[in-house]
């Protein structure tokens, strides 16, 4: 299983963005209060437990608990905040994103197989 790192500070977010120059970074924004987000989290976990791309770093922001970090990610990446949301980052730039019920094992396998 690929490691999923919880991002709890703006400094950790900045480091993940910087590291995306060398390894793509898939960011999952999760609301612990939303049943749709819980379903997306299950799909994300299924991807990580199935056959994840080991050349990618994986991170999660809990949007309720770490609102400032979530807002900073939206601003820095230029992607309107939604939760749940998955954002693929390369070279510090969002190159793909999706949200809600479009976060599926199949969608993640498709975009991360490239």
């Amino acid at each position: 299983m690929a490691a999923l790192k919880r991002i709890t500070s703006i400094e950790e977010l900045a480091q993940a963005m910087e590291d995306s120059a060398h390894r793509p970074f898939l960011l999952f924004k999760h609301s612990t209060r939303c049943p749709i987000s819980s379903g997306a989290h299950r799909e994300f976990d299924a991807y990580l437990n199935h056959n994840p791309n080991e050349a990618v770093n994986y991170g999660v922001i809990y949007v309720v608990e770490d609102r400032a970090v979530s807002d900073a990610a939206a601003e820095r990446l230029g992607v309107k905040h939604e939760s749940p949301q998955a954002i693929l980052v390369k070279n510090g730039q969002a190159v793909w994103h999706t949200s809600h019920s479009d976060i599926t094992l199949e969608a993640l396998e498709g975009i991360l197989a490239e």
Side-chain angles (χ1 to χ4, degrees):
M1 176 177 161
L4 178 61
K5 179 179 180 1
R6 182 168 173 195
I7 308 293
T8 60
S9 72
I10 292 173
E11 293 78 19
E12 288 175 331
L13 176 65
Q15 185 64 57
M17 296 299 109
E18 185 177 315
D19 292 347
S20 75
H22 309 288
R23 285 175 63 107
F25 174 61
L26 184 66
L27 175 62
F28 179 61
K29 293 174 74 175
H30 174 55
S31 172
T32 54
R33 297 182 183 169
C34 172
I36 294 170
S37 195
S38 293
H41 197 288
R42 282 190 298 277
E43 292 289 317
F44 199 88
D45 282 345
Y47 170 77
L48 292 176
N49 287 305
H50 182 254
N51 189 22
N53 184 335
E54 297 291 342
V56 175
N57 289 331
Y58 300 93
V60 61
I61 296 173
Y62 291 179
V63 300
V64 174
E65 294 82 350
D66 299 306
R67 172 62 65 192
V69 181
S70 177
D71 291 345
E75 182 177 325
R76 183 170 185 147
L77 294 169
V79 176
K80 180 181 177 249
H81 167 76
E82 297 186 66
S83 68
Q85 186 172 45
I87 306 169
L88 181 60
V89 181
K90 294 181 181 177
N91 296 314
Q93 303 292 314
V95 297
W96 173 87
H97 62 92
T98 194
S99 66
H100 296 84
S101 58
D102 291 332
I103 300 171
T104 63
L105 168 65
E106 293 79 14
L108 296 172
E109 284 177 334
I111 195 65
L112 296 171
E114 299 176 2

